Amino acid sequence: MPGIVESSNNLGTVRTTADGARLMSTITAAVTSRKHEILDRVRSLVSLAGGGASVEQYGLDAPEFPYRPDSKLLDVARKAYSEVMGTDPEVHVSQCSLELGMFSQKLPGLDIISIGTELHDLHSPKESVNFTSVARVWPLIREVVSRLH
């Protein structure tokens, strides 16, 4: 989608080892093939660096979380948001997937959305959630769930 981040590579940790250093990162993408293309590029760069450097995939490959503009759940959430919050919602599309991508892969056709709170300094030691934003979002969650049949 134009104007939306399609993929990212987040450097998570850098640790020294007996042989040099170990870098761990998380690659997220709205399209799984793009994520694998980025991993292949990282592998190519590491091979050029030489010196015993290598790349390995760690953990599960989280699939994309597809945006569905025709989502009935999104429509319910938009209407509930307008009524509960007194304003129209801002709907954002993100390349992040993780759990929602895993759910949508395991349950094909699942109508799924994400409703977020106010988060700061993600993926850093300073990561935090504004607890008052949780209190603001809770009535919305209750309203959305009450409208599901």
Side-chain angles (χ1 to χ4, degrees):
M1 295 183 65
I4 303 300
V5 173
E6 185 228 39
S7 54
S8 67
N9 186 358
N10 173 51
L11 180 60
T13 60
V14 177
R15 292 195 173 110
T16 56
T17 67
D19 300 330
R22 180 178 182 141
L23 288 71
M24 293 184 72
S25 68
T26 302
I27 301 170
T28 60
V31 179
T32 298
S33 61
R34 180 72 173 130
K35 180 173 29 182
H36 293 282
E37 179 185 327
I38 293 168
L39 180 58
D40 289 343
R41 286 181 178 196
V42 170
R43 281 192 174 111
S44 294
L45 287 170
V46 167
S47 70
L48 288 173
S54 64
V55 173
E56 65 180 277
Q57 184 172 333
Y58 179 78
L60 298 174
D61 182 20
E64 68 269 8
F65 165 36
Y67 171 63
R68 293 177 45 196
D70 62 338
S71 164
K72 291 180 183 177
L73 180 56
L74 180 57
D75 187 52
V76 167
R78 283 179 193 217
K79 290 174 182 170
Y81 187 98
S82 293
E83 291 177 25
V84 171
M85 304 298 204
T87 185
D88 290 335
E90 291 182 27
V91 176
H92 299 274
V93 178
S94 172
Q95 86 282 7
C96 299
S97 58
L98 301 177
E99 295 87 355
L100 297 179
M102 290 179 190
F103 291 146
S104 65
Q105 182 182 51
K106 295 290 184 186
L107 302 165
L110 180 67
D111 195 0
I112 188 168
I113 63 171
S114 173
I115 298 174
T117 55
E118 187 180 327
L119 305 171
H120 301 280
D121 300 315
L122 296 175
H123 309 297
S124 81
K126 294 181 180 181
E127 183 171 329
S128 64
V129 61
N130 178 335
F131 70 91
T132 59
S133 72
V134 175
R136 284 192 309 269
V137 169
W138 180 239
L140 171 62
I141 300 297
R142 289 178 44 205
E143 184 61 27
V144 169
V145 170
S146 75
R147 293 176 182 213
L148 301 177
H149 304 118

